[in-house]
Amino acid sequence: MTLTDAEVSERVKTFEHAVVPHEMFKKGQRAVGTLRRRWRPKGVKPLKARALLILGEPGAGKSFILETLRDENPMRVTPDGNIRPVLFVEAPKRTTPRQLAGAIFDALEPGYRLRDGWNTARILSEIRMLCEEMCVEVLMIDEAHHLVDQKNDNDLEDAAEFLKQLLNPFATQIVLAGLPHLGDLPETTKLRQLRRRFRPPFHLEPYNWSDRLGRKKYLGILAFFERHLALPEPSNFTEFDFAARIYCATGGHIGIISGQLSLALEAALSEGKARVDLRLLARIYADLVLRKKPTVLLDFDAPFLGEAAGAPAEPFGGGSPNPADVADAELDASADDNPYLAQGEAFRALWRKMAGARMGDQSRVTAHRTVETPPPSTFGRSA
């Protein structure tokens, strides 16, 4: 049965809204919940506000944790005013303390403008007043690494001072979610003072393929995703070869896996496919990762697919190649670079590249580490 575009969109939306019940997600939510319980309402002696770092690579699931908490704790309208137990803010790119304050004001009260003449003390006073009146228990700042990206020492100290002053007489707790280098700040006086207000950071990392328990949990997530695709035939994501290829293509990051499978589901439903197979995922991967602009855009003499070199060209009356044939040819041409198609040593090379990138990510974040995870190997020995 052919589905309408609206029906396809609804199926994809249902898949994307499914909350993956995996351990790292639950631990992240618990870490925020523990911090949130430090909040005290107006009139009750507050505990000191603390900040929690949630760190992870793109696709690790940081934003999903915060967005789920936001959706589970919507604003409530009461006779005494609006109540916002959870406030979600996305830090603007290359943000300054003043830009961050503007984003906080907009999240608290859309349309509430940061006045040009306000100094830092006035800005902080207004934020505290609004958070107190709206009973904001936790302020969650996503993309918080923008606070430290491309900053010199003076800019970093200004950002640290703003956050420290925001925390000082504040009942609202703060979550900062960002890339791993957010936790690897230089040792300056103000940054050390700010770091003392942090709780132990929470690192969102993929399950380790090389570890038996980690692989079991990873396969459980793949099984969850396959069930929620709700396609007529099994895709068999948990079979060893398929599972290894998904891990290689995504680094094991849950958010990236979900994104690729969402696109694959959309394509499968639109094309009437009964399951998601390796070739379909290879197409998705090629479009997301491998697709490059052609080096020659207008080569009039270039032969068409299947046309012998030197044969007379028929650009206007000879017909056009089948787009599916062209796509298949392009896919096969890049097979050695595509984890869903590569074979033998080509796949091993892609796996080593993925594992090497993982170790590189870990080596950049040492400030809060005690144990370093070994690189994953799909082959049961060092890759």
Side-chain angles (χ1 to χ4, degrees), residues 86-378:
V86 169
L87 188 67
F88 177 87
V89 174
E90 186 170 313
K93 193 172 184 179
R94 296 181 182 177
T95 190
T96 64
R98 191 173 185 87
Q99 288 172 325
L100 178 61
I104 293 173
F105 279 125
D106 191 54
L108 282 165
E109 194 69 54
Y112 193 97
R113 294 184 58 81
L114 176 60
R115 307 301 192 271
D116 291 338
W118 287 359
N119 59 20
T120 301
R122 176 66 187 276
I123 291 171
L124 292 169
S125 175
E126 293 287 329
I127 291 175
R128 292 189 196 106
M129 181 271 293
L130 287 171
C131 286
E132 185 177 84
E133 292 300 319
M134 296 185 183
C135 300
V136 178
E137 300 170 20
V138 59
L139 165 61
M140 305 186 302
I141 303 174
D142 199 12
E143 307 292 339
H145 53 272
H146 290 327
L147 286 164
V148 301
D149 282 348
Q150 300 176 340
K151 298 286 195 300
N152 58 38
D153 288 347
N154 289 336
D155 291 336
L156 280 174
E157 297 239 321
D158 288 345
E161 183 65 20
F162 179 81
L163 289 173
K164 183 166 69 72
Q165 290 187 40
L166 188 59
L167 282 164
N168 275 339
F170 207 33
T172 299
Q173 312 297 309
I174 298 178
V175 175
L176 301 169
L179 297 178
H181 65 267
L182 176 62
D184 192 20
L185 300 175
E187 286 292 327
T188 68
T189 300
K190 289 183 179 178
L191 288 169
R192 280 197 299 271
Q193 291 173 346
L194 176 62
R195 194 175 282 122
R196 286 198 290 268
R197 306 297 299 273
F198 288 170
R199 292 179 64 83
F202 179 73
H203 295 272
L204 268 170
E205 295 179 342
Y207 296 111
N208 187 356
W209 176 275
S210 300
D211 177 77
R212 184 184 297 273
L213 181 59
R215 190 183 302 185
K216 180 179 179 181
K217 292 176 179 176
Y218 165 71
L219 293 176
I221 292 168
L222 293 187
F224 172 88
F225 279 135
E226 181 164 340
R227 286 195 302 273
H228 282 75
L229 290 177
L231 290 170
E233 296 179 8
S235 299
N236 299 319
F237 293 155
T238 58
E239 289 186 356
F240 181 88
D241 182 69
F242 211 150
R245 290 178 183 279
I246 294 174
Y247 197 99
C248 186
T250 64
H253 291 295
I254 306 303
I256 300 177
I257 296 172
S258 176
Q260 290 190 12
L261 293 182
S262 174
L263 291 170
L265 174 62
E266 182 178 356
L269 294 173
S270 299
E271 299 167 17
K273 294 182 180 293
R275 61 190 177 93
V276 171
D277 58 19
L278 284 173
R279 198 157 186 89
L280 177 54
L281 278 172
R283 272 173 42 200
I284 300 301
Y285 184 87
D287 287 338
L288 289 173
V289 180
L290 300 180
R291 188 69 67 204
K292 298 176 181 177
K293 293 181 180 179
T295 54
V296 180
L297 296 177
L298 296 172
D299 185 357
F300 185 83
D301 295 321
F304 291 117
L305 182 70
E307 181 182 277
E314 299 181 72
F316 306 110
S320 299
N322 186 335
D325 292 339
V326 175
D328 281 344
E330 291 177 349
L331 203 57
D332 291 333
S334 62
D336 285 352
D337 297 319
N338 195 315
Y340 294 110
L341 296 179
Q343 301 295 323
E345 185 54 38
F347 180 72
R348 288 173 177 266
L350 293 174
W351 188 276
R352 286 193 293 268
K353 182 179 179 181
M354 178 274 296
R358 174 79 53 77
M359 293 303 292
D361 295 338
Q362 289 180 346
S363 67
R364 292 198 299 268
V365 186
T366 58
H368 305 291
R369 288 244 189 252
T370 56
V371 178
E372 191 168 274
T373 307
S377 170
T378 188

